[in-house]
Amino acid sequence: MRRFALKVAWGLLTLPLLLGAQNTGTTTLSVAVGPEAALTVNTATTTLATASTTFGTPFTGTTNLTYFIRTTKTGGTGSITLKVTSDFAGTGGPSVTTPPSTGDALTYTCTVSAPGTACTGAQTASTAAATAFGTWGAAANSVKAGNSASVAWSLTDDPVYATGTYTATTTFTISAL
Amino acid sequence: MAKTNQILRGSSCWLLWLVLAIVPRTYGATGAGTQTLTATINPIGSISVPGSTNLTTSMTTFQPFTGALVLSYRARTTPAGAGTITMTVTSDFTPAGGPSAASGDLTYVCSGATLGTACSGTQKASPTTQTPVVALPASSCTGGGGACSTPDPNSVNLIFNLTDSPAYGTGSYSAKVTFTISST
């Protein structure tokens, strides 16, 4: 009986040698995930147009964006703003900085899909300051592919504008804490 | 008197024994013996990795987290054998709400194996499958140069890449990755 037990023990000891050797090592991968934000402007050029020829309807157009956001779980916030970084070029046309007539303006309304909150009502775009577009609270996460948002523009159609094509540049800024 | 004789006889016996024992050594003797030393060299492998690897990103715009790891190993394979170093995610990222290797968020590339061939292309780390790191050919051995590698231990570089999804909750997450070296 003892001899049999010894044979079994020897067999178990030599089994790994017959089958080959194996060894392992383990590492822990650690990552700290912080608040982040990014956006993509899907409509690189937004054409403002009007179907009216009687000055009754402003020039309108829509800019579509995709936003990516992650805010801190506790106390986190996020926001997106826009600013006209380059006013309409050319003389005699519309102007954000110095509108030719009282009441002329480039205004916009916002649409921001959940978990964001869009700005309320019509906002007047400015070259001097960033204006509201959308906000997020704590623990806000977009999906991996991003969430949608859009800006609906409205530009007064003032008869004093000289005919021609005018271009302005608007910059969106998104941030997260 | 009788007792004295007995002592002398006893001393003579010891003296005779001492002389007989010393004489052969005094006059020299030769002999030969052989012993066979047998060493069975078996395939073997050992592995060493850092206890932890940090994955970081310098961006705040959802660029991937990356981290580098140097894996050290020693190996010996038989002329008819081979070897592998593989890895598996033995514990996925915790806590919940963050990245997930099971969802394919963790990938890696291998390079610079000083013995054998590093894995090629981008590998997707898996908690269910052993994925390749290094392939060791037959008759591989670590150290000493010649037929074996010069470096001792051998090493291979791994760069991990973790998707930075906005869907992750903020916080710290960790996962365990186990490397296995096998040789035959």
Side-chain angles (χ1 to χ4, degrees):
Chain A
M1 186 65 186
R2 186 180 173 191
R3 182 172 295 176
F4 176 73
L6 284 171
K7 283 182 178 176
V8 170
W10 176 250
L12 290 174
L13 283 172
T14 55
L15 187 60
L17 300 179
L18 297 174
L19 296 178
Q22 193 174 66
N23 211 327
T24 62
T26 299
T27 189
T28 298
L29 301 180
S30 299
V31 61
V33 176
E36 293 182 50
L39 65 82
T40 302
V41 179
N42 302 316
T43 314
T45 300
T46 303
T47 300
L48 307 182
T50 179
S52 171
T53 55
T54 57
F55 307 108
T57 307
F59 298 94
T60 59
T62 301
T63 302
N64 295 309
L65 302 92
T66 300
Y67 74 83
F68 307 83
I69 197 160
R70 177 197 304 130
T71 62
T72 305
K73 286 179 178 175
T74 304
T77 59
S79 69
I80 183 171
T81 59
L82 68 86
K83 183 178 180 182
V84 178
T85 48
S86 175
D87 204 352
F88 289 104
T91 55
S95 172
V96 173
T97 308
T98 53
S101 304
T102 302
D104 288 352
L106 174 66
T107 63
Y108 63 92
T109 57
C110 321
T111 302
V112 179
S113 65
T117 301
C119 67
T120 305
Q123 306 287 321
T124 300
S126 169
T127 55
T131 50
F133 182 91
T135 57
W136 292 267
N141 298 87
S142 66
V143 298
K144 189 174 182 179
N147 291 18
S148 63
S150 63
V151 185
W153 299 100
S154 178
L155 176 68
T156 308
D157 184 5
D158 189 335
V160 302
Y161 296 162
T163 57
T165 301
Y166 304 90
T167 302
T169 303
T170 302
T171 300
F172 297 87
T173 302
I174 189 170
S175 62
L177 295 171
Chain B
M1 187 64 184
K3 191 171 183 178
T4 304
N5 288 338
Q6 192 176 355
I7 290 172
L8 286 174
R9 271 201 304 274
S11 300
S12 300
C13 287
W14 279 109
L15 188 61
L16 179 63
W17 172 254
L18 190 63
V19 169
L20 289 175
I22 289 174
V23 165
R25 297 191 180 190
T26 305
Y27 287 95
T30 58
T34 58
Q35 184 179 24
T36 302
L37 299 177
T38 303
T40 303
I41 308 298
N42 291 300
I44 197 168
S46 66
I47 205 164
S48 175
V49 288
S52 63
T53 303
N54 289 325
L55 307 180
T56 60
T57 179
S58 59
M59 305 294 285
T60 55
T61 54
F62 303 105
Q63 298 304 304
F65 298 95
T66 60
L69 176 153
V70 177
L71 184 153
S72 300
Y73 58 99
R74 288 188 171 100
R76 180 171 59 231
T77 62
T78 63
T84 59
I85 299 175
T86 59
M87 64 159 277
T88 187
V89 180
T90 44
S91 174
D92 209 343
F93 287 97
T94 56
S100 165
S103 299
D105 293 339
L106 182 66
T107 61
Y108 65 95
V109 294
C110 321
S111 65
T114 58
L115 180 67
T117 305
C119 72
S120 64
T122 300
Q123 304 289 327
K124 189 171 286 188
S126 168
T128 56
T129 308
Q130 296 277 349
T131 49
V133 177
V134 173
L136 299 166
S139 300
S140 300
C141 47
T142 295
C148 298
S149 72
T150 300
D152 183 8
N154 297 110
S155 62
V156 61
N157 304 310
L158 278 84
I159 295 177
F160 287 98
N161 190 306
L162 180 67
T163 303
D164 183 6
S165 170
Y168 303 159
T170 56
S172 296
Y173 301 88
S174 62
K176 285 190 187 304
V177 173
T178 298
F179 297 89
T180 302
I181 184 169
S182 304
S183 56
T184 59

